[in-house]
């Protein structure tokens, strides 16, 4: 081949490769922009601080940013501790954007101060008072879901007696929530071995005994994985008593895709079962800064692409 023809062929080939690369990049950008802001298939609820690098420290501004990214819900464990005016502002913002409020934690009680398993009157009285306070918070933010943790074991008592005490206390709290259409969701935890409620089957037993649609299980998949695994089979066993889901990969308790849990399969399973409520994003960001927040959004786009 003559040198001139070789050069021309090389230039044309290089141009074709460059054009191909540009087209692929453009297609990728188009796909990204096509999903940016699109509502997710499941209703993932963000936490305060999740998008602070993009939106600042004000949770209201973070909520607005999350809405722009396609999220349509929040949850806030610390809602009860916020000033009343801030609670109202968050509630108003959610109403204007058409976003849902997931769970907040029952106010005024810690695990060691909420030993319902003991059967002691003071613990039951404090629990009932806390339920009444939760109703007032729920009204300000238009919430229908309250997280409840029964507290620690009372190891001097047989487990059946402890369970009976918890059931009786939960019945009294549920009676308060029933008057206001609020659902108490009991959360099995893996944080330490002293906690009474650790597995979904325990929660199932309690909910069946209470016998109210206002008492359900909070199925936090991070804790289920740490305590026992078998997330999908256990979910199926307890599904008629599950009222809420929370997300967190393990190890690390960060966004889906950063650990061992196959959330894409799990989310498809939950969707196919008909659940359309809030899915609480109770986890941290694996990455730092704005890049970490964008990576989190990308991770949810990936695991939500089960349709």
């Amino acid at each position: 081949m003559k040198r001139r023809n070789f050069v021309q062929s090389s230039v044309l080939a290089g141009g074709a490769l460059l054009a191909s690369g540009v087209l692929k990049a453009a297609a990728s950008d188009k796909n990204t922009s096509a999903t940016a802001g699109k509502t997710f298939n499941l209703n993932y609820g963000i936490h305060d601080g999740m998008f602070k690098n993009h939106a600042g420290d004000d949770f209201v501004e973070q909520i607005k940013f999350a809405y722009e990214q396609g999220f349509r819900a929040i949850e806030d464990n610390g809602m009860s501790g916020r000033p009343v005016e801030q609670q109202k502002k968050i509630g108003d913002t959610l109403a204007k954007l058409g976003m849902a409020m997931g769970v907040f934690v029952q106010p005024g009680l810690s695990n060691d101060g909420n030993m319902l398993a003991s059967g002691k009157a003071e613990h039951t009285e404090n629990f009932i008072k806390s339920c009444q306070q939760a109703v007032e918070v729920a009204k300000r933010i238009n919430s229908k879901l309250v997280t409840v943790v029964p507290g620690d074991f009372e190891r001097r008592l047989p487990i059946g007696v402890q369970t009976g005490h918890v059931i009786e206390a939960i019945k009294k709290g549920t009676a308060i929530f029933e008057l206001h259409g609020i659902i108490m969701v009991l959360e099995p935890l893996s944080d330490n071995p002293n906690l009474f409620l650790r597995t979904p089957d325990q929660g199932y037993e309690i909910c069946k005994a209470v016998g109210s649609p206002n008492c359900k299980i909070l199925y936090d998949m991070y804790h289920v994985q740490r305590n026992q695994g078998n997330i999908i089979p256990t979910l199926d066993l307890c599904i008629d008593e599950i009222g809420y889901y929370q997300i967190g990969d393990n190890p690390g308790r960060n966004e889906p895709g950063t650990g061992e849990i196959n959330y894409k399969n799990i989310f498809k399973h939950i969707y196919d079962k008909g659940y359309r409520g809030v899915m609480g994003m109770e986890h941290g960001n694996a990455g730092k800064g704005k890049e970490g927040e964008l990576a989190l959004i990308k991770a949810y786009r990936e695991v939500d692409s089960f349709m």
Side-chain angles (χ1 to χ4, degrees), residues 218-237:
L218 193 168
Y219 198 82
D220 187 320
M221 291 170 278
Y222 167 78
H223 290 299
V224 176
Q225 179 69 2
R226 279 168 50 97
N227 276 332
Q228 66 187 80
N230 280 332
I231 292 175
I232 289 178
T234 303
L235 186 159
D236 287 342
L237 286 173

Side-chain angles (χ1 to χ4, degrees), residues 21-47:
V22 170
L23 288 172
K24 287 180 180 178
S28 177
D29 288 344
K30 183 178 180 181
N31 290 336
T32 301
S33 62
T35 58
K38 179 182 177 183
T39 304
F40 290 90
N41 292 310
L42 284 171
N43 197 11
Y44 309 109
I46 71 154
H47 258 282

Side-chain angles (χ1 to χ4, degrees), residues 66-98:
Y67 180 87
E68 293 170 356
Q69 308 311 309
F71 296 98
R72 295 293 180 267
I74 73 165
E75 66 172 26
D76 186 40
N77 288 342
M79 182 66 75
S80 297
R82 295 182 184 275
V84 170
E85 288 306 312
Q86 190 177 28
Q87 292 175 8
K88 291 178 179 178
K89 186 177 180 181
I90 291 171
D92 291 344
T93 301
L94 295 176
K96 288 176 183 176
L97 294 174

Side-chain angles (χ1 to χ4, degrees), residues 56-291:
D57 292 331
D58 187 344
F59 190 26
V60 168
E61 294 305 312
Q62 294 177 41
I63 292 169
K64 293 176 182 177
F65 175 82
Y67 180 87
E68 293 170 356
Q69 308 311 309
F71 296 98
R72 295 293 180 267
I74 73 165
E75 66 172 26
D76 186 40
N77 288 342
M79 182 66 75
S80 297
R82 295 182 184 275
V84 170
E85 288 306 312
Q86 190 177 28
Q87 292 175 8
K88 291 178 179 178
K89 186 177 180 181
I90 291 171
D92 291 344
T93 301
L94 295 176
K96 288 176 183 176
L97 294 174
M99 295 178 72
M101 176 66 205
V103 295
F104 66 95
V105 174
Q106 182 188 25
L109 293 177
S110 60
N111 289 337
D112 57 357
N114 188 28
M115 288 184 62
L116 300 184
S118 71
K120 293 180 179 178
E122 61 263 33
H123 290 295
T124 302
E125 290 168 4
N126 287 339
F127 175 68
I128 291 171
K129 182 180 178 181
S130 177
C131 290
Q132 293 167 338
Q133 292 170 344
V135 169
E136 298 307 311
V137 176
K139 288 178 182 178
R140 298 181 196 118
I141 56 175
N142 193 29
S143 174
K144 298 297 181 183
L145 293 155
V146 179
T147 301
V148 170
V149 178
D152 289 349
F153 282 107
E154 175 49 85
R155 298 188 182 276
R156 291 169 293 184
L157 294 175
I159 188 64
V161 172
Q162 293 184 64
T163 301
H165 288 160
V166 170
I167 291 168
E168 289 305 304
I170 295 298
K171 280 182 178 179
K172 293 175 182 178
T174 300
I176 294 169
F177 288 142
E178 284 175 341
L179 298 174
H180 303 277
I182 295 170
I183 299 172
M184 172 194 301
V185 286
L186 302 171
E187 184 174 14
L189 297 170
S190 64
D191 298 321
N192 70 69
N194 292 319
L195 291 164
F196 173 83
L197 185 58
R198 296 184 60 82
T199 61
D201 61 283
Q202 270 186 290
Y204 186 87
E205 178 184 17
I206 294 168
C207 289
K208 287 298 183 187
V210 172
S212 170
N214 296 77
C215 177
K216 294 293 179 182
I217 300 166
L218 193 168
Y219 198 82
D220 187 320
M221 291 170 278
Y222 167 78
H223 290 299
V224 176
Q225 179 69 2
R226 279 168 50 97
N227 276 332
Q228 66 187 80
N230 280 332
I231 292 175
I232 289 178
T234 303
L235 186 159
D236 287 342
L237 286 173
C238 301
I239 194 164
D240 60 326
E241 294 296 342
I242 295 174
Y244 192 81
Y245 293 90
Q246 283 183 329
I247 305 156
D249 216 335
N250 182 63
R253 200 169 188 173
N254 290 314
E255 67 266 22
T258 58
E260 64 189 352
I261 303 175
N262 190 336
Y263 268 112
K264 190 170 186 177
N265 280 357
I266 294 170
F267 288 165
K268 182 180 187 304
H269 190 78
I270 291 172
Y271 184 91
D272 290 345
K273 289 291 184 180
Y275 182 80
R276 297 296 183 270
V278 176
M279 305 275 291
M281 299 161 64
E282 195 184 33
H283 57 74
N285 296 14
K288 295 181 179 180
K290 289 185 176 181
E291 294 78 10

